[in-house]
């Protein structure tokens, strides 16, 4: 898709409006009681546990509670995002080929995390979010630039997935339990079964979950049925131990394996004039995460959160003989193998500083180190072996005035990254990204807000170092001088909330936001000719791109 078509998708011509059962705005409209002194000494968890310690001042976001019946039929993680305001999905039903669009940005400009771990696998059309939907407790979809809290990639928005734990499944008086799951999908002729075992004591809780899911070919809206066959196994193990009242440690292991026969390009049925042949593709991912929560001096208004993580995604594939087309007729071609290894550490220091007469400050101070390494054999294209290192520090302060219903949020982030390859020059740069926002709530049912936010995206290793064959007589050309993409977004809007109008404890909410984004050094891919030396494909920077539009949502809930 060229720049003109992308820009058309980003224009103001469409307005996203939808009715959905999960409240689209939770906690964003600050009630009269939130200004009382009784709340000042409580640790505030912004939005949801999926993204703690985050200021939500003047942000447009949706919280998805996956326990709702309409989400029980999702066959992969991104299926849970269907009908989410301001977000669209594309693909042909294959887990490895689903992608999304948010505020004019495709997958590369939307950051996806699972319990805080970035999901950055990028092998052109072979991508995905590898987690069974039955393990997801909640999803928070935040629209707009969000690099202050999340760093590179959060240009169009952020999707944060939060996995379930034992205490989510047990009532306060219960100590243990089990769940068995079984489902069938008619559209893709698939089925799923699994089990969850969980328990808790006063200081410890744990969960062990296993599942298997099979997916077949789905019928698309144009009546086509692109070939797809997947056999997916999942494992999730989690535990939390409150060692002392001021110290808790948590550990988590996730494993995903998908053995399938899929199209070479799992995003489309037939790409242009080239045949989209079938491949035997094996996708696996395992994540290990260790989290420590420290409450210094057992203070309720001070929390230190420290995450250590390691993640490895591996995709192996080889073409299937086109005559027999069965699992046992694999051709003699060498197997392609790609691996992405991510490891890092993130420390967040969150505390509240209360001025009795003026304002309450909610500080978020943190630092992060992340390293990603791409590994591939000689047969694997679109995935050059290279390494990316990223270091960042940030400061954010949400200021709640004690005498007026006004909230300010200001913050800045410094990031330094370096890309390295054995065959080409290194790429290094530094970025400052900042955000400022204000929210005014004159009554309990009205909120006016405005914000200015900056975002950036580090060029992917694939965009910088890819030198593989693109198509006949055309090869990718590396571009070590590719610059990071940046944007600046101005957003303003209004939110209305009415309670107890038709039924007791019902709620009607409407929210609208107008945004105007200017992107600089916008990264795009250009194709030049088919005959050498003109036959090349290269990623370049476009000086300026403008994106503007409206996000609007209407929500009505009953008890």
């Amino acid at each position: 898709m060229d720049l003109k078509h992308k820009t058309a998708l980003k224009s103001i011509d469409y307005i996203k409006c939808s009715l959905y059962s999960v409240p689209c705005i939770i906690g964003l409209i600050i009630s009269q009681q939130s200004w009382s002194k009784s709340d000042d000494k409580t640790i505030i968890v912004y939005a949801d546990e999926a993204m703690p310690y985050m200021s939500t001042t003047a942000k447009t976001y949706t919280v998805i509670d996956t326990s709702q019946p309409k989400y029980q039929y999702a066959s992969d993680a991104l299926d849970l995002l269907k009908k989410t305001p301001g977000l669209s999905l594309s693909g042909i039903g294959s887990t490895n080929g689903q992608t999304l669009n948010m505020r004019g940005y495709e997958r590369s400009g939307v950051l996806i995390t699972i319990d805080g771990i970035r999901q950055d696998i990028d092998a052109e059309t072979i991508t995905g979010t590898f987690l069974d939907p039955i393990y997801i407790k909640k999803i928070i979809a935040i629209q707009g630039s969000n690099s202050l809290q999340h760093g590179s990639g959060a240009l169009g928005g952020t999707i944060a997935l939060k996995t379930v734990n034992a205490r989510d499944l047990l009532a306060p008086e219960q100590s243990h339990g089990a769940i068995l799951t079984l489902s069938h999908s008619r559209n893709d002729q698939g089925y799923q079964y699994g089990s969850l075992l969980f328990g808790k004591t006063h200081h410890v809780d744990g969960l062990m979950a296993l599942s298997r899911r099979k997916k077949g070919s789905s019928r698309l809206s144009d009546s086509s049925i692109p070939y797809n066959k997947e056999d997916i196994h999942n494992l999730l193990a989690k535990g939390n131990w409150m060692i002392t009242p001021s110290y808790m440690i948590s550990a988590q292991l996730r494993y995903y394996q998908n053995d399938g026969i899929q199209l070479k390009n799992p995003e489309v049925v037939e790409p242009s004039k080239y045949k989209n042949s079938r491949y035997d593709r094996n996708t696996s991912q395992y994540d290990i995460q260790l989290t420590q929560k420290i409450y210094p001096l057992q203070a309720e208004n001070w929390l230190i959160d420290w995450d250590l993580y390691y993640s490895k995604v591996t995709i192996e594939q080889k073409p299937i003989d086109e005559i027999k087309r069965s699992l046992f007729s694999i051709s003699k071609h060498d197997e392609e193998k790609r691996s992405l290894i991510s490891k890092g550490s993130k420390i967040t220091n969150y505390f509240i500083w209360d001025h009795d007469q003026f304002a309450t400050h909610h500080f978020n101070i943190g630092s992060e180190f992340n390293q990603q390494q791409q590994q591939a054999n000689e047969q694997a294209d679109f995935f050059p072996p290279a390494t990316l290192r990223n270091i960042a520090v940030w400061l954010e302060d949400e200021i709640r005035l004690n005498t007026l219903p006004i909230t300010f949020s200001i913050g800045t982030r410094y990031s330094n990254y370096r890309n390295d390859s054995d065959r080409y020059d290194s790429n290094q740069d530094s970025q400052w990204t900042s955000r400022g926002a204000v929210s005014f709530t004159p009554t309990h049912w009205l909120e006016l807000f405005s914000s200015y936010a900056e975002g950036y995206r580090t060029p992917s290793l694939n965009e910088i170092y890819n030198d593989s064959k693109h198509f006949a007589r055309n090869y990718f050309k590396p571009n070590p001088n590719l610059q990071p993409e940046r944007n600046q977004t101005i957003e303003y809007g209004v939110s209305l909330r009415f309670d107890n109008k038709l039924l007791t404890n019902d709620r009607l909410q409407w929210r609208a936001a107008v945004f105007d984004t200017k992107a600089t050094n916008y990264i795009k891919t250009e194709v030049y000719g088919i005959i050498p030396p003109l036959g090349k494909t290269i990623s370049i920077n476009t000086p300026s791109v403008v994106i503007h539009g409206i996000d609007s949502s209407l929500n009505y809930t009953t008890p």
Side-chain angles (χ1 to χ4, degrees), residues 505-553:
N505 295 326
D506 70 347
R507 174 170 294 178
L508 175 65
Q509 290 180 304
W510 174 72
R511 185 180 182 87
V514 178
F515 63 90
D516 196 335
T517 299
K518 181 180 180 181
T520 55
N521 287 330
Y522 185 89
I523 299 175
K524 59 175 291 189
T525 301
E526 286 282 4
V527 179
Y528 298 95
I530 60 174
I531 301 176
L534 297 178
K536 65 179 181 180
T537 301
I538 186 172
S539 295
I540 62 173
N541 292 114
T542 299
S544 179
V545 174
V546 176
I547 307 168
H548 47 266
I550 300 175
D551 280 323
S552 180
S553 61

Side-chain angles (χ1 to χ4, degrees), residues 180-475:
L180 299 177
T181 64
L182 177 64
S183 64
H184 175 264
S185 173
R186 182 178 179 182
N187 185 45
D188 61 7
Q189 299 302 310
Y191 62 87
Q192 179 274 337
Y193 60 87
S195 62
L196 295 87
L197 302 176
F198 40 90
K200 68 177 182 180
T201 65
H202 185 65
H203 299 290
V204 179
D205 67 80
L207 176 146
M208 173 70 74
L210 295 167
S211 69
R212 182 181 183 182
R213 182 183 298 272
K214 283 204 170 186
K215 295 176 61 176
S217 302
S218 300
R219 181 181 295 274
L220 304 183
S221 58
D222 61 358
S223 298
S224 63
I225 307 178
Y227 189 87
N228 185 63
K229 181 184 291 185
E230 302 178 52
D231 188 1
I232 304 171
H233 296 78
N234 275 273
L235 165 68
L236 173 64
K238 300 181 67 174
N240 301 289
W241 181 17
M242 180 67 77
I243 299 177
T244 69
S246 60
Y247 180 70
M248 183 177 75
I249 187 170
S250 304
Q252 179 177 167
L253 169 66
R254 295 195 307 272
Y255 180 74
Y256 173 98
Q257 180 172 320
N258 185 343
D259 298 316
I261 301 177
Q262 302 171 341
L263 299 179
K264 181 178 181 180
N265 183 348
E267 293 184 352
V268 297
V269 180
E270 288 292 341
S272 65
K273 63 181 179 180
Y274 299 101
K275 186 173 181 59
N276 202 3
S277 55
R278 300 179 188 178
Y279 270 61
D280 176 30
R281 180 174 292 136
N282 178 280
T283 304
S284 63
Q285 176 173 349
Y286 65 85
D287 298 332
I288 302 173
Q289 186 171 358
L290 180 67
T291 301
Q292 301 175 74
K293 295 184 182 294
I294 304 170
Y295 302 86
L297 307 176
Q298 300 185 27
E300 293 182 347
N301 59 346
W302 189 2
L303 171 63
I304 299 174
D305 192 292
W306 184 12
D307 286 312
L308 298 170
Y309 57 87
Y310 177 90
S311 175
K312 183 176 183 179
V313 183
T314 302
I315 300 177
E316 301 172 285
Q317 66 178 23
K318 46 191 170 183
I320 294 180
D321 184 86
E322 294 187 9
I323 298 177
K324 297 183 179 180
R325 294 186 179 181
S326 71
L327 184 61
F328 304 101
S329 63
I330 304 300
S331 65
K332 302 302 182 181
H333 290 77
D334 292 333
E335 186 175 62
E336 303 174 18
K337 184 175 181 179
R338 305 167 175 84
S339 296
L340 174 66
I341 300 173
S342 303
K343 50 189 175 183
S345 174
K346 181 178 181 180
I347 301 177
T348 304
N349 190 338
Y350 177 78
F351 63 94
I352 299 174
W353 182 27
D354 183 17
H355 286 280
D356 290 336
Q357 296 182 351
F358 178 64
T360 302
H361 296 261
H362 298 256
F363 285 103
N364 178 356
I365 304 172
S367 63
E368 181 177 17
F369 169 81
N370 174 268
Q371 179 175 297
Q372 295 181 327
Q373 182 179 8
Q374 289 188 174
Q375 300 175 344
N377 61 9
E378 294 180 357
Q379 289 72 35
D381 51 11
F382 307 123
F383 206 77
T387 302
L388 166 65
R389 184 267 299 155
N390 195 347
I391 300 174
V393 294
W394 67 89
L395 167 65
E396 182 180 28
D397 181 15
E398 183 175 85
I399 307 168
R400 299 184 177 184
L401 301 184
N402 289 336
T403 57
L404 295 173
I406 299 177
T407 300
F408 298 95
S409 178
I410 55 174
T412 189
R413 179 188 185 103
Y414 172 79
S415 301
N416 179 275
Y417 74 89
R418 179 183 177 90
N419 296 325
D420 292 292
S421 172
D422 293 336
R423 291 179 289 181
Y424 303 103
D425 294 338
S426 299
N427 181 299
Q428 183 173 356
D429 202 351
S430 299
Q431 298 290 320
W432 282 97
T433 51
S434 302
R435 183 178 187 271
V438 60
S439 173
F440 176 50
T441 313
T443 69
H444 70 279
W445 53 267
L446 172 64
E447 179 192 15
L448 304 175
F449 59 89
S450 181
S451 68
Y452 168 82
E454 298 174 338
Y456 80 98
R457 179 173 77 85
T458 302
S460 71
L461 298 176
N462 187 32
E463 291 169 327
I464 296 175
Y465 297 121
N466 192 3
D467 58 1
S468 60
K469 184 178 181 179
H470 189 193
F471 54 86
R473 294 186 294 178
N474 187 288
Y475 287 80

Side-chain angles (χ1 to χ4, degrees), residues 75-95:
S75 60
D76 59 59
L78 293 188
D79 273 352
L80 297 170
L81 297 171
K82 290 181 178 178
K83 300 182 180 180
T84 300
L87 186 151
S88 61
L89 299 177
S90 62
I92 59 174
S94 170
T95 304

